[in-house]
Amino acid sequence: KAGVTQTPRYLIKTRGQQVTLSCSPISGHRSVSWYQQTPGQGLQFLFEYFSETQRNKGNFPGRFSGRQFSNSRSEMNVSTLELGDSALYLCASSLAGQGGRLYGYTFGSGTRLTVV
Amino acid sequence: DAKTTQPNSMESNEEEPVHLPCNHSTISGTDYIHWYRQLPSQGPEYVIHGLTSNVNNRMASLAIAEDRKSSTLILHRATLRDAAVYYCIHDTEHRDDKIIFGKGTRLHILP
């Protein structure tokens, strides 16, 4: 079966611009979570969506936002990009609600964002 | 939040067993313990998970302490391809809790 698909794989943006990243979960998965990973850092939680509702949010500024559509696909948006936003952005989808929130938790390959 | 504690890094010789420890003292009775690993330039991938009993699969074994406050991921015969960052996390029954991966343990395999 198809895995978690993130697009685009690579992106270069200029400071001050905004960017939208996309995540298509595994078919049937209703929960999508987003993480930011910078060199030397672990996975830092951004937010989690379940059935189009934001269920949880990490400690990131309001420039980071997201949403989930009725087909469970999710997008995250970063406005007014800063150099420090350069990172690998990962999304993970899971069945959730069946055997625990980590049940079937599967990551995509990520979008590498470079801000110049 | 569901937090775990792992050593920052570990080193092992190729073809020897590796024991990766994890503390999860805040775990609740129904939380599963999961392990993931992240190879260079990839997203994390599932390794193994368990609740109370020790678990085995083709990738690894998971040994869970009797009080469930710690667990150990066992790679029986490490290869160079096992060099990765290993994350230990546990489920949470509280929907307001965040799933925290932390920084994991960076495993170095020496040839």
Side-chain angles (χ1 to χ4, degrees):
Chain A
K1 61 180 180 182
V4 178
T5 304
Q6 290 189 247
T7 56
R9 285 297 309 275
Y10 302 93
L11 204 50
I12 299 175
K13 289 285 189 178
T14 305
R15 266 184 308 175
Q17 286 186 311
Q18 67 98 27
V19 67
T20 299
L21 310 180
S22 178
C23 173
S24 293
I26 290 173
S27 178
H29 283 195
R30 297 166 63 193
S31 169
V32 174
S33 297
W34 288 88
Y35 295 84
Q36 181 196 66
Q37 187 173 41
T38 52
Q41 297 294 317
L43 292 158
Q44 298 188 69
F45 175 81
L46 278 158
F47 23 66
E48 176 190 1
Y49 286 88
F50 181 79
S51 294
E52 303 180 66
T53 302
Q54 188 179 86
R55 185 152 72 173
N56 226 319
K57 191 176 191 305
N59 299 322
F60 279 81
R63 299 185 297 107
F64 291 81
S65 63
R67 59 178 176 169
Q68 186 179 34
F69 302 96
S70 59
N71 62 358
S72 293
R73 189 178 71 85
S74 177
E75 290 181 346
M76 67 161 282
N77 184 277
V78 188
S79 62
T80 320
L81 283 166
E82 301 176 359
L83 295 179
D85 297 332
S86 295
L88 179 67
Y89 290 88
L90 291 155
C91 82
S93 75
S94 74
L95 286 158
Q98 301 176 39
R101 291 169 64 192
L102 284 171
Y103 186 68
Y105 212 71
T106 305
F107 282 85
S109 297
T111 293
R112 185 163 296 282
L113 172 66
T114 302
V115 182
V116 297
Chain B
D1 293 341
K3 292 183 178 177
T4 61
T5 304
Q6 299 178 254
N8 290 334
S9 66
M10 291 183 64
E11 211 171 71
S12 178
N13 294 319
E14 196 177 9
E15 298 187 4
E16 290 188 356
V18 182
H19 291 236
L20 297 161
C22 178
N23 288 319
H24 28 79
S25 57
T26 62
I27 194 168
S28 298
T30 56
D31 292 354
Y32 278 80
I33 299 151
H34 294 249
W35 283 80
Y36 284 74
R37 73 177 185 181
Q38 187 174 19
L39 302 170
S41 303
Q42 294 185 27
E45 61 177 1
Y46 168 82
V47 176
I48 199 167
H49 78 283
L51 184 62
T52 54
S53 307
N54 294 345
V55 185
N56 301 296
N57 67 18
R58 64 175 181 81
M59 290 178 72
S61 295
L62 176 60
I64 301 171
E66 201 168 323
D67 63 5
R68 300 204 337 116
K69 293 186 184 302
S70 66
S71 62
T72 301
L73 179 70
I74 302 165
L75 306 178
H76 293 287
R77 197 164 166 267
T79 69
L80 294 176
R81 287 174 294 181
D82 291 322
V85 178
Y86 287 78
Y87 298 96
C88 160
I89 52 175
H90 63 86
D91 247 335
T92 169
E93 60 188 6
H94 303 293
R95 62 178 292 157
D96 292 335
D97 277 357
K98 302 180 184 67
I99 296 175
I100 307 295
F101 273 77
K103 295 188 179 182
T105 296
R106 183 170 294 279
L107 177 64
H108 302 273
I109 304 297
L110 305 176

